[in-house]
Every structure is written in structure tokens, then in C-alpha cells.
Amino acid sequence: MFDAIVAFSLRNRILVLFAAVALIAMGLFSASRLPVDVLPNLNRPVVTILTESPGLAPPEVETLVTRPIETSMSGVPGVERVRSVSGIGLSVVYVEFDWSEDVFRARQQVAERLTLVREQIPPGTVPQMGPVTSIMGEIMLVAIPYGKASPMEAREIADFQIRPRLLTIPGVAQVIPIGGEVRQYRVSPDPAAMAALGITLDQIDRQLREFGTNSGGGFVDQFQKEYLIRGVAQTTRIEDLRALVVGESANGPVRLSQVASADFAAGFRRGDAGYDGAPAVVIAVQKQPTADTIAVTTQVETALKEITATLPDGITADKVQFRQANFIETSIGTLQKVLIEAAIVVAIVLFLFLLNTRTTAISLISLPISILITAIVFSIFGLSINTMTLGGLAIAIGELVDDAVVDVENVFRRLRENAALSEPQSSLVVIAQASGEVRSGIVYATAIIILVFLPLFFLGGVEGRLFAPLGQAYIVSILASFVTAVTLTPVLCYYWLPKIAGLHADRESGLVTRLKHANAWLLDWGFARIRGVLIAAGVVSVLAIGGAFLLPRAFLPTFNEGSFVVGFQLEPGISLEASSQLAATAEKLLLQIPQVESVSRRTGSLSLAA
């Protein structure tokens, strides 16, 4: 079959060349559009249910909120595990589905169950599903120092200017700010004044709930037109709140200012943040699982620059503390470096052995073409570029030229022998025969390599999701190099080698000549000492196996992202103020290290109202 493919390629040389050019163009186009991420998709379909219940302690949250939700979710089809965390006024329930489950179908089933469970939890408590994110979804941390602004103003900028703008970017799943102070109305009733005017807390509570809301009154038909009736009361002015009528007395309407004090105040904080030893607001940007990390990061950075230009003096939104794209760009840069170094080494070795630039060029061409074909296959099957696929390509680089090297070397040797004959054969016949002579060895070697990597596809769980892309990248690139060797390589040999074969008919590299002599001497020496060679090989094998058991083991290699995450475990029950002070002290100590450029911190919980 492979002889027929080689013969077909040699008969249709122009077609093969056009196909190669088309594949290069498609490969470049596909590579530019492939999604890029730090790791493969490791996300088991998980639906996160967040429920805020202000005022409840963790035991009440567990009993009244978390347990009813857990019980209801356990019966959803496809659910494998339900986990939960109950904190002060916050319940978080994680509903994990089978790997094969579609996450959007899972969210639909959870939403249907949530409509039923709302009757079993305290009134006013509304469970919400969190956005679809990934394990490595936190792609950026951005610090917003207060500057000349107050903590309330800084938090409002994060909540009402930066967060809505970033959420409009395709691929952004969630933007979570922490730190600063959330502005709220604070009303402090005066019991003595309330008793004197006959006002109750229920009256004040009812009127406060309706404050600042517009209402509709239907419409009226006059003069052949319909006029809407509206009660416009929407306002955020503190003066309007103080003038709110909360009841009546013998002397007329009673306003809120007569029975209570009202002003703006900070809401109860469950989280704090800092930047370079000073208070700040820190925004965490999370992406959707299938989004391109680099593309989303670029759009977020562009948006932050636009927002910074509109912010008050002294406030900036461009202090990026963590950027996951840096790690990806470093990985891609490493692969490019490996590719260039491998190409240089292969070119030098080939030239030393063959003493010919054309044979070297033919062998090297298979390297970029194999990688571009891999990019096309990845694009067709919806795969992404990540650390593991890049690792697979890096491992395969040394073998991508093997098929072409073996083919070109044998073809060139046969063409030289043919040129030395008194009646040379046709170059097409010689090239086809020379390719066929080494084809079986190339096929066997390729099949063995593929079989070695096949166990990666039988791993389950996170391990399978993590390492399968490495095997996919390796196998696809190796097969691409094999296809190139049986199609394009013989055609290039026909165009570039026959004319120079006669000039090199009696020429052989001095390095090859010396290596042949050394090989012959080693073979003679080994055959004369067969028992000793076998014993030495056995001893070396035993030592190698023993050394393999002593090697350190780790699930993943150490990644150098250029940033460190330092975590503090404090005593349970510590206040936010105390933990924030400790974190700020640690922040200042870290800044004293010469290599540290900047430090940001997040203290406390990232609740919905953090």
C-alpha cells in the first residue's frame, strides 16, 4: 500500500506540491485560531449554588439552607457527588455530574430543582447558580489602589464601572471584587421618638422597603390618546430618604428624620484586600471553560486601559498582579526555542553525515509541515493548545524528521549508486525502490511509538483529561511526519537530488567513514565477548530499574509562573480586622525582598457581597 502511495505521489508531483502549499496555508490559519489555555479541560461538569442568608450563623445556614438544597440535588439524574460549605450567612453547594454530562443540560436540571426547594428554605433566601467557570478559570488579578478616593468610592468604581465593562467581554464568566467598602443606607431608629409619635418598627421597615421605587398606575384615555400613569420615586439622595413619610400622628405626617437618623455607611465586610502594603480593591477575572485565555486577557487589558483613562485622579485599574497568559506565552516561547534549536541540531547532524545542503533541507521541511498538520487536526476536533499538547510536540520534535531522514539518506545513496552505473535507471524508479526498501522499518518504528503512548488514553478521571492531550499531540505529529515522508519527501527528492547525485557518486563524509570503521570494530569486539556483554547489559538494566524507583515523583512538574501564592492559616474565629492586619504586615515584609516587584492580598471570603 505504501509503495502505491509513493508511486502515486511521484506520478502526480505537481498535485502533491500544491497540496503541501495548501496544507501549510491551512495550518497557519488553524494555528492562529486555536484556543490557548494553560492546561487541558479538566472540568468535571459542576454546578455551584450560592445562597446568601444574612444574619444566620453557620449551624442555622447548614440546617435551614444547605441541607434542603443538598437533599433536593442528590436525586438529579447524573449526579455523582454533592458537596457543600456553610459559613456565616452564606451557603455554597457543589453539584458534581459525570464526566460525560453536558454542563448546560446539568444546569437546566438544577434550575428545575431549585424552583421546588425554594419553598423549604427561609423566606427571602434566593439560591443562585454560579457562572460556568473552569478549574484554571482565574486568569487575572487586578489591584485598584484607593489613591485620593475613599474606600466607598474605590469600591463603587470597581462595582459600577469596571465590573460591568469587563462582563461585556466575550469569554469572561465572572468578575469578583473584594476590598473597599460597600455603600449602604444605615437607619438608626430612636425608640423614644417612635414611642412619642406612635410609630412602630414594622411601619419603618415597610416604608424603607418601598423607598426609591417607581410604580405604575395603568393609563388614561384622553383626547384620542393613551397616557401612562407613573409614580416616579426612584432616587438615591440621602435627603429624600430622611424626608420619607413612615406614618401619621395627630400633628400630621411623620417623616423618617423625626424618629431615626439616616446616613450613608459601609456595609458589614466579609473580605478585605491590599496592594503594596496599602488598602485597595482587588478584582478577580474568571473566564469561561472554552475561552481562549490569551485572547480574553488581551481584551481585558485593553478595557482596563480605557477605563483607567476615565477614572478620577489617583485611581488606576492597570495594576495586574497575576496574569495566567504569561505562563502560556512562556510555554509557547519555549516550544519555539526548542523548534529552532532542534532544527539547527538536525541540520548540523544531517550535513555532517550527508555533506549536502539539499538533503538537509528536504529532511527539515517535514518538521514545520508535521506541526502545521497537527494544528489542522486539532482545529477539526476542537482541541486546544496548552502545556500538555506543547509538551507532546516538544517530545516529538526529535522524531518528526526521522522518517524523512531515513528516506532521504537511502534515496540519495541509491541515486549515487545509480549514477555510477554504465546504464543508469530512471530517477523515478530509483526513488520509488529506495523509499520502499526502508518503508517497513519506518512503519514498524511508528507503530511501536504509537503503542507506547496508547495507555495514556485509557487513564480515567483528571489523569486521563490531563495526559491524553499529550499523547494526542505526539501521535498526530508522528503520523503527520509519516504521511509527509511517503508523499512530499519522494517528490522533493526527485526535483532536488538526481542532478547532484552524479557529482557525489564517489564522495562520502569522513565522519561516516570513521563511524563505520568504529562500528565494525565494536561489532567484532562484542561478538568475541558475547557472555560478558550480556552480563554487563543485565547489570545495567537492573541498576536502571532500581534507579527508576528512587526517582522523585510528582503529579505535575514545577511551574515557574513568576508569581507566588502565600497562604495564611489562622485560628478559627479570628476577626476580619485582625486577619487583615496580619496579612498587611506580611505584605510589607514581602516587599522588603529585593526580587519582589509588587504584592497584593485578599483576606476573608469572596461572598456575593464581599
Side-chain angles (χ1 to χ4, degrees):
M1 180 183 68
F2 296 111
D3 291 339
I5 294 175
V6 173
F8 175 83
S9 301
L10 291 172
R11 288 195 305 268
N12 301 274
R13 298 180 293 276
I14 303 299
L15 176 63
V16 172
L17 292 177
F18 273 112
V21 173
L23 283 175
I24 292 174
M26 289 177 59
L28 292 173
F29 178 76
S30 300
S32 65
R33 298 175 65 88
L34 281 175
V36 183
D37 210 337
V38 62
L39 286 175
N41 185 12
L42 304 177
N43 301 298
R44 178 192 294 271
V46 177
V47 180
T48 305
I49 303 173
L50 306 171
T51 310
E52 282 190 314
S53 48
L56 295 183
E60 284 74 29
V61 172
E62 174 70 21
T63 304
L64 301 177
V65 180
T66 303
R67 192 168 299 168
I69 295 177
E70 280 187 320
T71 304
S72 179
M73 294 303 148
S74 298
V76 176
V79 170
E80 290 198 343
R81 185 171 62 167
V82 179
R83 299 180 293 114
S84 66
V85 177
S86 299
I88 302 175
L90 179 65
S91 167
V92 184
V93 178
Y94 303 95
V95 186
E96 298 184 4
F97 289 80
D98 184 71
W99 287 99
S100 60
E101 189 74 28
D102 179 70
V103 67
F104 297 103
R105 180 175 178 271
R107 290 174 66 86
Q108 180 182 358
Q109 292 178 326
V110 170
E112 293 173 354
R113 288 297 181 98
L114 284 179
T115 59
L116 302 176
V117 79
R118 283 176 181 148
E119 301 176 356
Q120 306 173 30
I121 58 180
T125 304
V126 181
Q128 301 179 25
M129 288 191 297
V132 181
T133 58
S134 62
I135 295 176
M136 303 297 295
E138 192 168 85
I139 60 173
M140 291 184 72
L141 289 177
V142 184
I144 306 172
Y146 293 167
K148 299 179 181 179
S150 66
M152 282 187 187
E153 292 172 339
R155 182 57 183 262
E156 287 171 351
I157 289 172
D159 285 336
F160 303 114
Q161 294 188 45
I162 299 176
R163 186 172 184 269
R165 173 65 178 88
L166 297 184
L167 287 174
T168 62
I169 297 175
V172 174
Q174 185 61 283
V175 179
I176 305 175
I178 183 174
E181 295 178 349
V182 178
R183 188 188 298 270
Q184 290 183 346
Y185 293 118
R186 180 168 295 178
V187 178
S188 302
D190 184 346
M194 291 170 56
L197 295 173
I199 302 299
T200 64
L201 282 175
D202 288 340
Q203 289 178 291
I204 297 177
D205 180 70
R206 183 170 59 252
Q207 295 302 322
L208 287 176
R209 290 182 184 276
E210 297 177 357
F211 171 72
T213 58
N214 295 343
S215 59
F219 66 93
V220 62
D221 189 349
Q222 289 184 352
F223 309 110
Q224 299 181 349
K225 287 186 178 181
E226 293 182 351
Y227 295 91
L228 294 177
I229 301 174
R230 299 174 59 207
V232 180
Q234 188 171 14
T235 179
T236 57
R237 297 174 67 244
I238 193 65
E239 293 80 6
D240 295 331
L241 178 63
R242 292 168 180 164
L244 177 67
V245 176
V246 295
E248 292 184 0
S249 67
N251 297 326
V254 178
R255 301 187 183 278
L256 181 64
S257 58
Q258 296 177 257
V259 295
S261 62
D263 208 340
F264 289 119
F268 292 105
R269 295 192 304 165
R270 302 306 306 156
D272 193 16
Y275 172 74
D276 283 352
V281 177
V282 174
I283 292 179
V285 182
Q286 298 181 349
K287 76 175 186 69
Q288 297 172 354
T290 57
D292 187 330
T293 300
I294 292 181
V296 173
T297 301
T298 302
Q299 295 182 59
V300 169
E301 290 174 336
T302 302
L304 290 175
K305 290 180 181 178
E306 296 173 355
I307 295 171
T308 300
T310 65
L311 296 180
D313 294 339
I315 299 182
T316 59
D318 55 358
K319 305 295 183 182
V320 178
Q321 294 304 290
F322 170 72
R323 187 175 182 271
Q324 193 182 100
N326 289 343
F327 180 70
I328 300 172
E329 292 167 352
T330 302
S331 300
I332 295 176
T334 301
L335 177 64
Q336 293 174 344
K337 180 181 177 182
V338 170
L339 281 172
I340 295 172
E341 293 175 349
I344 293 174
V345 171
V346 170
I348 293 174
V349 172
L350 289 177
F351 186 78
L352 290 176
F353 275 83
L354 302 177
L355 291 180
N356 190 281
T357 55
R358 296 191 181 187
T359 55
T360 303
I362 295 173
S363 301
L364 290 178
I365 285 175
S366 63
L367 187 61
I369 291 181
S370 300
I371 294 177
L372 292 176
I373 293 176
T374 304
I376 295 173
V377 175
F378 275 32
S379 178
I380 293 174
F381 289 96
L383 302 176
S384 66
I385 297 176
N386 52 67
T387 306
M388 304 310 293
T389 55
L390 292 177
L393 291 176
I395 296 172
I397 282 175
E399 301 180 18
L400 293 181
V401 296
D402 276 359
D403 296 349
V405 168
V406 173
D407 205 14
V408 171
E409 191 278 332
N410 195 58
V411 167
F412 190 50
R413 182 171 63 86
R414 290 302 186 190
L415 286 174
R416 287 189 304 177
E417 294 175 355
N418 183 63
L421 297 176
S422 57
E423 296 182 2
Q425 292 181 302
S426 171
S427 298
L428 289 175
V429 175
V430 175
I431 293 173
Q433 292 177 349
S435 297
E437 290 175 355
V438 296
R439 188 61 49 210
S440 60
I442 294 175
V443 171
Y444 295 150
T446 303
I448 291 172
I449 291 173
I450 293 175
L451 289 174
V452 169
F453 278 82
L454 279 182
L456 292 178
F457 297 98
F458 295 97
L459 293 175
V462 176
E463 296 86 352
R465 292 264 175 163
L466 183 64
F467 292 109
L470 184 147
Q472 291 168 353
Y474 188 94
I475 291 175
V476 170
S477 59
I478 291 296
L479 291 177
S481 69
F482 178 77
V483 172
T484 304
V486 298
T487 54
L488 181 61
T489 300
V491 173
L492 294 178
C493 289
Y494 173 80
Y495 282 112
W496 288 358
L497 297 185
K499 295 180 181 179
I500 64 170
L503 302 176
H504 297 264
D506 299 324
R507 182 179 176 185
E508 191 174 63
S509 168
L511 177 62
V512 174
T513 302
R514 293 185 180 89
L515 289 176
K516 286 183 176 179
H517 289 306
N519 184 58
W521 180 83
L522 283 174
L523 288 175
D524 293 338
W525 184 88
F527 284 132
R529 301 167 177 83
I530 295 178
R531 181 183 295 273
V533 170
L534 293 177
I535 293 174
V539 171
V540 170
S541 299
V542 172
L543 292 176
I545 295 173
F549 284 104
L550 298 177
L551 289 174
R553 292 172 175 82
F555 182 62
L556 286 174
T558 302
F559 293 144
N560 182 14
E561 296 177 317
S563 60
F564 290 92
V565 178
V566 181
F568 283 83
Q569 290 185 348
L570 306 177
E571 292 184 1
I574 188 171
S575 66
L576 177 63
E577 182 180 0
S579 60
S580 183
Q581 289 177 353
L582 288 173
T585 303
E587 194 176 359
K588 295 175 182 178
L589 292 174
L590 290 173
L591 284 171
Q592 297 176 7
I593 301 175
Q595 293 81 6
V596 175
E597 297 180 355
S598 62
V599 179
S600 67
R601 63 176 174 86
R602 292 184 293 176
T603 309
S605 63
L606 288 170
S607 64
L608 297 178

